[in-house]
């Protein structure tokens, strides 16, 4: 049901029955390396292009998520997903293999929670019993498309972020064991006029704060309702700006633990990742890997994941456009009522 101005409350509490996370070697070497299902030792993953490697990871994640849900491919009525590549080709080509009815979406790096929100909406409304949400990204494909190809060897400023190589999927069902999705807040497009593609954190932070404020307003909650609130991939620069904005708008974020997936997935002191992680897979693998495991263990009862995305394209950047951004929030709770 509609809650407030821009949120959904899921009365039937759709269940995250199974998840899977696949990452590359850098992610596997980070602080959360042991939390992922598969860590590939090479970013090519046996493929002859970075793009094919990204698609391969997503196919692996989808297959494994279905297995973890104790289901078969035939049980999945719909697949909701997207990625960063032109015309979301990683998802479109992967679902070509899976042959599951497909809803392609694009929210840039916010796609993980956008997909989970739409999948939960379909299940909660009764229009599907089992729906899968998935997304992926690859450092080399993102660099090639949005900045400079890895082979070019360009130097990065400290504000730049390191796109996560990985893929993650979640199977949402109308029954069964697992964490439940209780609500979602759909973000507005926020544009503060930033044009630097090497400073995504600063561009995305205002969108994250806007969605957080909307979520608390629509559900009439304060941050302390949640044991943990995470943003998607603001990393060091964006996280600090978000904290400043939350203080400016008098949002009592100190009531809870507030973290950012882009800072959690890498060790900035030991890994050459500039400001931290980003990419569609960033919030996806941290949420479906690390955070949901803590929920299942009972360490966390209520979590709010706010995935952030920069809605630019190479064309818009070349034409001098600023970078519009968005953030989508999903509330997840332990299965114990």
């Amino acid at each position: 049901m509609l809650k407030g101005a821009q949120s959904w409350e899921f009365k039937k509490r759709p269940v995250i029955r199974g998840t899977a996370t696949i990452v590359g070697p850098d992610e596997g070497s980070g602080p959360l390396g042991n939390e992922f299902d598969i860590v590939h030792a090479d970013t090519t993953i046996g493929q002859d292009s970075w793009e094919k490697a990204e698609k391969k990871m997503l196919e692996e994640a989808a297959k494994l998520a279905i297995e973890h849900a104790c289901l078969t491919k035939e049980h999945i009525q719909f697949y909701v997903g997207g990625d960063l590549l032109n015309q979301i080709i990683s998802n479109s080509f992967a679902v070509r293999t899976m042959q599951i009815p497909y809803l392609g979406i694009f929210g840039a790096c916010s796609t993980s929670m956008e997909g989970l929100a739409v999948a939960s909406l379909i299940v909660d409304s009764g229009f599907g019993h089992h729906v899968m949400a998935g997304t992926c990204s690859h450092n080399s494909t993102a660099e090639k498309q949005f900045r400079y190809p890895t082979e070019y060897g360009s130097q990065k400023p400290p504000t730049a972020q390191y796109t996560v190589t990985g893929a993650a999927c979640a199977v949402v069902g109308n029954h069964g064991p697992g964490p439940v999705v209780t609500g979602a807040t759909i973000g507005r497009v926020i544009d503060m006029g930033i044009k630097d593609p090497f400073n995504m954190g600063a561009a995305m932070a205002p969108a994250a704060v806007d969605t957080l404020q909307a979520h608390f307003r629509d559900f009439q909650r304060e941050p302390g309702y949640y044991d943990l609130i995470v943003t998607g991939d603001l990393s060091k620069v964006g996280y600090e700006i978000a904290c400043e904005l939350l203080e400016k708008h008098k949002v009592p974020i100190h009531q809870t633990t507030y973290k950012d997936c882009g800072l959690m997935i890498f060790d900035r002191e030991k890994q050459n990742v500039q400001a931290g992680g980003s990419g569609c897979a960033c919030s996806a693998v941290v949420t479906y890997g690390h955070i949901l495991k803590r929920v299942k263990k009972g360490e966390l009862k209520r979590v709010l994941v706010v995935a952030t995305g920069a809605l630019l394209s190479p064309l818009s950047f070349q034409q001098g456009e600023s970078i519009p951004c968005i953030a989508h929030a999903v509330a997840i709770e332990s299965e114990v009522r």
Side-chain angles (χ1 to χ4, degrees):
M1 61 175 287
L2 181 66
K3 188 76 171 178
Q6 60 193 82
S7 298
W8 299 328
E9 183 178 20
F10 302 128
K11 292 290 190 178
K12 296 180 182 178
R13 298 166 66 92
V15 180
I16 302 177
R17 289 197 50 166
T19 62
T21 52
I22 316 292
V23 298
D26 291 328
E27 294 72 20
S29 299
L32 306 180
N34 293 330
E35 307 275 11
F36 307 124
D37 293 303
I38 297 175
V39 177
H40 284 287
D42 187 284
T43 56
T44 63
I45 313 176
Q47 306 300 301
D48 58 12
S49 75
W50 305 121
E51 289 75 15
K52 290 180 181 178
E54 183 174 328
K55 177 181 74 75
K56 179 70 173 178
M57 287 190 298
L58 185 59
E59 290 172 344
E60 291 176 338
K63 182 175 183 294
L64 195 57
I66 293 171
E67 291 178 6
H68 287 169
C70 299
L71 300 170
T72 66
K73 186 183 70 172
E74 288 68 33
H75 288 104
I76 310 299
Q77 276 99 31
F78 303 102
Y79 174 94
V80 184
D83 52 81
L84 293 174
L85 298 188
N86 288 334
Q87 287 77 52
I88 54 174
I89 58 172
S90 292
N91 274 261
S92 300
F93 285 21
V95 180
R96 174 183 64 183
T97 303
M98 291 186 270
Q99 286 295 292
I100 296 172
Y102 169 51
L103 291 169
I105 58 174
F106 179 78
C109 302
S110 72
T111 298
S112 63
M113 291 305 107
E114 181 181 0
L116 184 58
V118 172
S120 300
L121 180 67
I122 294 171
V123 171
D124 191 68
S125 66
F127 291 119
H129 303 308
H130 298 101
V131 182
M132 184 157 56
T135 191
C136 57
S137 57
H138 194 294
N139 185 269
S140 294
T141 64
E143 289 297 312
K144 181 194 298 185
Q145 178 161 296
F146 291 100
R147 288 173 281 272
Y148 298 106
T150 302
E151 297 88 342
Y152 184 72
S154 64
Q155 290 184 313
K156 304 285 195 306
T159 57
Q161 292 171 245
Y162 192 86
T163 303
V164 168
T165 297
C169 290
V171 175
V172 182
N174 59 3
H175 68 280
V180 296
V181 182
T182 59
T185 298
I186 307 304
R188 303 183 301 164
V189 174
I190 304 295
D191 190 339
M192 302 304 293
I194 293 175
K195 297 183 177 182
D196 183 2
F198 290 104
N199 195 3
M200 296 295 193
M204 293 187 291
V209 173
D210 186 77
T211 298
L212 277 167
Q213 289 180 287
H215 181 83
F216 297 140
R217 181 176 62 248
D218 286 351
F219 284 93
Q220 299 183 337
R221 294 172 182 166
E222 291 198 341
Y225 180 84
Y226 296 100
D227 302 315
L228 173 68
I229 295 175
V230 293
T231 41
D233 51 354
L234 300 181
S235 290
K236 183 178 186 297
V237 176
Y239 176 77
E240 292 175 354
I241 293 173
C243 289
E244 293 174 3
L245 289 173
L246 288 166
E247 182 178 358
K248 176 182 177 180
H249 293 295
K250 295 181 171 54
V251 178
I253 199 69
H254 62 273
Q255 293 178 354
T256 187
T257 299
Y258 168 43
K259 295 184 177 182
D260 185 78
C261 296
L263 292 173
M264 296 167 68
I265 193 167
F266 294 124
D267 185 337
R268 293 181 56 253
E269 299 299 320
K270 298 179 181 178
Q271 296 178 285
N272 185 22
V273 293
Q274 291 83 45
S278 68
C280 290
C282 185
S283 57
V285 298
V286 172
T287 299
Y288 297 156
H290 171 66
I291 294 174
L292 287 193
K293 286 182 179 179
R294 293 191 63 193
V295 173
K296 291 176 181 178
K297 290 177 182 177
E299 298 173 3
L300 298 169
K301 299 293 185 183
R302 297 168 176 159
V303 175
L304 183 66
V305 183
V306 188
T308 49
L311 304 175
L312 82 164
S313 74
L315 180 63
S316 66
F317 168 70
Q318 290 162 7
Q319 293 182 348
E321 282 279 1
S322 54
I323 303 173
C325 296
I326 197 164
H328 300 297
V330 173
I332 301 171
E333 298 187 13
S334 63
E335 60 185 306
V336 179
R337 292 183 180 269

